[in-house]
Amino acid sequence: MPQLKAEKTLSPILEKKKKKLFTRIFKQWELQMMVIPGLLFILVFNYFPMYGVLMAFQDFNIFKGMSDSEWVGIKHFVMFFNDSRFFEIMRNTIAISGLKILIGFPAPIILALMLNEVRNMMFKRTVQTITYLPHFLSWVIVAGFATSILATESGSLNILLEKIGLINEPINFLSIPEYFWTILISTNLWKSIGFASIVYIAAISGVDPQLYEAAALDGASKLKQIFLITIPSIMPIIVIFLILEIGNLLNAGFEDLLLLGSNAVLRPVSDVIDTYVYRVGISNSLYSYATAIGLFKAVISVGLLTIANQIARRSDNSLW
């Protein structure tokens, strides 16, 4: 009896909440119409294709389709783990992605902090424009720039090094594995640093100017103001982006590695999960094998994202 009474009491409240929800949606129909294309995009390109994950557990035959292809369990995962290049590919993936985080993640923050201290607006805007522009260039163009600069015969870097007497003969930089990671990280940094700093510049602009005035009255130098006011104020943004970067640890890149690391000599240091999947899985029509590797990468990425988020919760700056 008490349970029935409780249900009767709750049902009008729930109905009232539903009516309020529908009323609110109807009143905001213009905003809802703007959201619908985004939702459809996510459903079509992110959720509907998840059905294809089943291919990882099949010997997929393009003519038979997924419904009639033979089920093989974890065969393709075992094939990948037993591959003679598995540890080399994982090492390259983690090392390249780790270097991108270690060098590429703090660089936009430092640039944003430096630009925040510039008082000449013309100079500030010029620097921002110059650093933003590379982001809008495709990797084909950027790789072309890098290749022409590092070219053996007419490359500007070789010419400069010869002029100042550091080398006696040109160096083929894109054929020496020891130089590849440095070239890759430098190119990525040049391309992304300006655009990535936009978020941090916007966050810094929201810091209360009175905090800086109070710190200046207390005798704090510009450097102390940065470490005691600016960085703590934008720390939530930094932590959120760091969590996302850790979640993408196995996404070392694809276009940049495919274009800059196309030389077979560089494969021991340039081959990562994505390029391996493209070369071995897709180019050879091993769709189930490629799907299995992609699923493995996705599961690890979700795990890393969850762990990073749990650690960030201790500082009250987590994604969820």
Side-chain angles (χ1 to χ4, degrees):
M1 290 295 290
Q3 188 177 356
L4 290 171
K5 287 182 180 179
E7 288 178 359
K8 288 180 180 179
T9 307
L10 287 172
S11 58
I13 297 171
L14 292 172
E15 287 178 7
K16 194 174 181 180
K17 284 185 177 180
K18 285 181 181 178
K19 286 181 180 179
K20 284 184 177 180
L21 176 64
F22 287 121
T23 304
R24 193 162 63 247
I25 291 173
F26 182 75
K27 286 181 178 179
Q28 299 174 344
W29 69 270
E30 298 97 336
L31 297 175
Q32 304 301 330
M33 291 298 291
M34 292 174 65
V35 171
I36 287 171
L39 289 175
L40 289 174
F41 180 86
I42 292 170
L43 287 172
V44 172
F45 293 100
N46 292 84
Y47 281 90
F48 292 161
M50 288 176 71
Y51 175 69
V53 167
L54 295 175
M55 288 168 54
F57 306 96
Q58 297 178 322
D59 267 336
F60 178 72
N61 187 310
I62 194 170
F63 299 104
K64 293 181 179 179
M66 291 181 62
S67 58
D68 296 326
S69 295
E70 182 185 355
W71 292 89
V72 293
I74 59 171
K75 169 189 170 183
H76 301 292
F77 295 93
V78 174
M79 283 175 59
F80 179 54
F81 298 148
N82 291 333
D83 193 299
S84 59
R85 301 199 59 220
F86 173 76
F87 291 104
E88 181 182 281
I89 291 165
M90 291 302 296
R91 182 205 65 189
N92 292 341
T93 303
I94 294 170
I96 291 172
S97 188
L99 285 170
K100 285 182 177 180
I101 294 173
L102 185 66
I103 298 171
F105 181 75
I109 302 172
I110 295 169
L111 177 62
L113 292 171
M114 292 171 65
L115 287 173
N116 185 57
E117 298 302 321
V118 176
R119 294 294 169 259
N120 187 322
M121 293 306 297
M122 180 63 75
F123 177 75
K124 183 177 180 178
R125 288 169 183 167
T126 303
V127 172
Q128 285 180 302
T129 303
I130 292 170
T131 54
Y132 292 170
L133 283 176
H135 171 79
F136 299 100
L137 301 176
S138 72
W139 265 111
V140 176
I141 296 172
V142 174
F145 284 161
T147 303
S148 62
I149 291 170
L150 301 171
T152 307
E153 295 181 1
S154 58
S156 55
L157 182 59
N158 272 309
I159 293 171
L160 176 64
L161 293 175
E162 284 182 342
K163 291 289 184 183
I164 61 179
L166 290 179
I167 58 173
N168 296 321
E169 56 183 21
I171 299 172
N172 191 353
F173 289 100
L174 288 175
S175 295
I176 303 175
E178 288 79 8
Y179 295 153
F180 179 71
W181 287 357
T182 302
I183 295 168
L184 181 72
I185 301 303
S186 302
T187 310
N188 270 272
L189 187 63
W190 175 76
K191 188 177 189 299
S192 63
I193 186 172
F195 194 77
S197 67
I198 292 175
V199 176
Y200 301 109
I201 292 171
I204 291 170
S205 65
V207 180
D208 190 351
Q210 293 181 358
L211 295 174
Y212 295 108
E213 292 171 6
L217 289 173
D218 288 338
S221 63
K222 286 291 183 183
L223 192 61
K224 283 189 175 180
Q225 289 177 31
I226 290 171
F227 282 101
L228 298 177
I229 299 173
T230 310
I231 293 178
S233 297
I234 65 172
M235 188 55 70
I237 303 295
I238 294 173
V239 171
I240 288 171
F241 276 89
L242 182 59
I243 292 170
L244 294 173
E245 287 289 337
I246 292 172
N248 287 319
L249 186 64
L250 295 186
N251 291 325
F254 176 69
E255 291 178 327
D256 51 346
L257 287 157
L258 194 65
L259 293 166
L260 291 172
S262 57
N263 193 331
V265 177
L266 298 173
R267 194 163 290 167
V269 294
S270 68
D271 213 10
V272 297
I273 291 176
D274 290 333
T275 55
Y276 177 77
V277 167
Y278 171 74
R279 195 182 71 257
V280 177
I282 297 175
S283 297
N284 295 334
S285 301
L286 300 175
Y287 302 117
S288 294
Y289 187 57
T291 305
I293 299 172
L295 181 58
F296 161 75
K297 188 180 81 166
V299 170
I300 298 298
S301 296
V302 171
L304 290 170
L305 182 65
T306 305
I307 292 168
N309 188 74
Q310 291 297 323
I311 294 171
R313 269 189 177 182
R314 298 175 184 176
S315 62
D316 297 325
N317 293 316
S318 59
L319 283 173
W320 67 86

